[in-house]
Amino acid sequence: MSNSNQVRQSVSEFYTQAVKSESGCGCGCGGGDAVPKGFAAQFAGYGDDVAGLPADAVANSFGCGNPLAFSEVKPGEVVLDLGSGAGIDLLIAARKVGPSGRVIGVDMTDEMIARARANAAEAGFANIEVRKGIIEDLPAEAASVDWVISNCVINLSPEKDRVFAEIARVLKPGGRMLVSDIVVQDVPAWVRESMALYASCVAGAVSEAEYVEGLRRAGLVDVEVRERYLYDFDQVRALIESEVPAEATASCCGPAPSSCCGGDTAPIDAAAIAAEVAQKVWSAKFHARKP
Ligand SMILES: C[S@@+](CC[C@H](N)C(=O)[O-])C[C@H]1O[C@@H](n2cnc3c(N)ncnc32)[C@H](O)[C@@H]1O
């Protein structure tokens, strides 16, 4: 198996466990072991957008923002969600596009796909389709969607340039992208090389500048950061403590296998890591357009 496939498998195993567990954390969560399910959605700033949605979709929200907040998505349009998880953003998108529009989710984790389909059925949306696939090779036709959205997923990809190229491929001319994601700046190498911190959205994240350059290299225009949410020491510490269970530290082999296997099996010192990365990790919302 290639190194990239190993990373995807490891991430998928992590999210299979996360959706089955009682705590509600994923990327961008904060609050430690006592975090109730649904906390992540509050932290991501959904507000009234989640009113009336199935509780399971809200409880299993693992995002770090609300990509569709203040968006100009219109009835009848087609929205594609990369890494749709349990489906919270699919449901919000389905409300916006209405019965004449379509919403497609793509995820690689069976457990997540099943949840998203069940949540779409419970909410009564017949215009949501969830496809199994990887975001580096999207199961979607070229120039077929008006909007690409994603919430805290691209940081998890070991092949971000492939993802950016796929976004450019599937968007219709004039189509737009709204992505909430974790970015980092000046994080030390030992943090970036930790597979234990990879699935919790810290170690695989790139800088805002790298993100913007990657989107532009893919041929997208009007690339800009529209919102930022900076995590403080307590939030980063809570994120790490709630995200890195012992079994996650033991399952390794990430982008830097020589430094992960073995090294990550030592107990994680969340406070030390938080002290190192607080003010260097934030959630950003990126906008881009296909010319
Ligand atoms: C942090 S969760 C976010 C889920 C959802 N967007 C939300 O806001 O709740 C990451 C999701 O992306 C999926 N994922 C991660 N990397 C992926 C990849 N390379 N291809 C497809 N799905 C991926 C995982 O299976 C998981 O469901």
Side-chain angles (χ1 to χ4, degrees):
M1 193 187 286
S2 72
N3 196 34
S4 293
N5 283 339
Q6 282 181 341
V7 173
R8 279 186 283 270
Q9 185 175 320
S10 177
V11 167
S12 187
E13 284 166 8
F14 178 92
Y15 282 98
T16 300
Q17 292 308 316
V19 75
K20 283 181 182 167
S21 85
E22 286 305 308
S23 79
C25 293
C27 304
C29 181
D33 292 339
V35 175
K37 282 215 170 197
F39 181 84
Q42 294 169 36
F43 195 62
Y46 281 112
D48 291 343
D49 284 349
V50 295
L53 296 184
D56 183 82
V58 180
N60 287 297
S61 164
F62 295 87
C64 53
N66 179 359
L68 287 165
F70 309 112
S71 69
E72 294 152 30
V73 175
K74 295 185 192 63
E77 291 188 317
V78 181
V79 177
L80 175 66
D81 184 7
L82 275 48
S84 42
I88 188 165
D89 297 313
L90 298 176
L91 303 174
I92 294 170
R95 274 183 179 159
K96 288 186 183 286
V97 300
S100 60
R102 278 194 311 134
V103 180
I104 303 161
V106 172
D107 207 289
M108 64 180 175
T109 303
D110 289 324
E111 204 59 47
M112 286 294 198
I113 293 168
R115 291 294 182 110
R117 287 177 180 156
N119 286 325
E122 185 182 334
F125 289 119
N127 58 345
I128 295 176
E129 182 191 349
V130 188
R131 300 178 183 169
K132 181 166 181 171
I134 59 172
I135 62 174
E136 294 85 355
D137 185 13
L138 287 168
E141 281 181 26
S144 63
V145 307
D146 298 291
W147 294 88
V148 166
I149 63 167
S150 186
N151 197 350
C152 233
V153 179
I154 298 174
N155 76 81
L156 295 167
S157 172
E159 299 174 293
K160 293 175 179 55
D161 279 341
R162 280 184 72 189
V163 181
F164 296 146
E166 281 293 85
I167 293 171
R169 182 182 69 81
V170 300
L171 279 172
K172 296 176 184 172
R176 289 157 67 182
M177 181 210 86
L178 285 170
V179 167
S180 296
D181 210 351
I182 297 284
V183 292
V184 296
Q185 188 69 50
D186 301 328
V187 165
W190 63 268
V191 171
R192 297 190 73 120
E193 289 169 6
S194 166
M195 191 58 205
L197 295 175
Y198 194 91
S200 55
C201 300
V202 175
V206 296
S207 70
E208 265 187 19
E210 288 171 287
Y211 222 109
V212 167
E213 281 161 25
L215 290 165
R216 287 189 180 137
R217 263 199 313 276
L220 297 167
V221 297
D222 295 345
V223 181
E224 59 186 19
V225 178
R226 294 209 161 160
E227 276 174 36
R228 292 182 181 90
Y229 184 91
L230 192 62
Y231 299 111
D232 64 20
F233 173 85
D234 288 332
Q235 289 166 327
V236 175
R237 181 179 180 172
L239 170 69
I240 294 164
E241 284 176 345
S242 60
E243 294 303 307
V244 187
E247 57 282 13
T249 63
S251 84
C252 51
C253 294
S258 57
S259 59
C260 85
C261 292
D264 277 349
T265 55
I268 293 284
D269 183 345
I273 297 168
E276 198 68 63
V277 305
Q279 310 298 318
K280 298 175 182 172
V281 181
W282 62 96
S283 165
K285 185 147 112 183
F286 295 90
H287 168 276
R289 183 173 61 81
K290 181 168 174 174

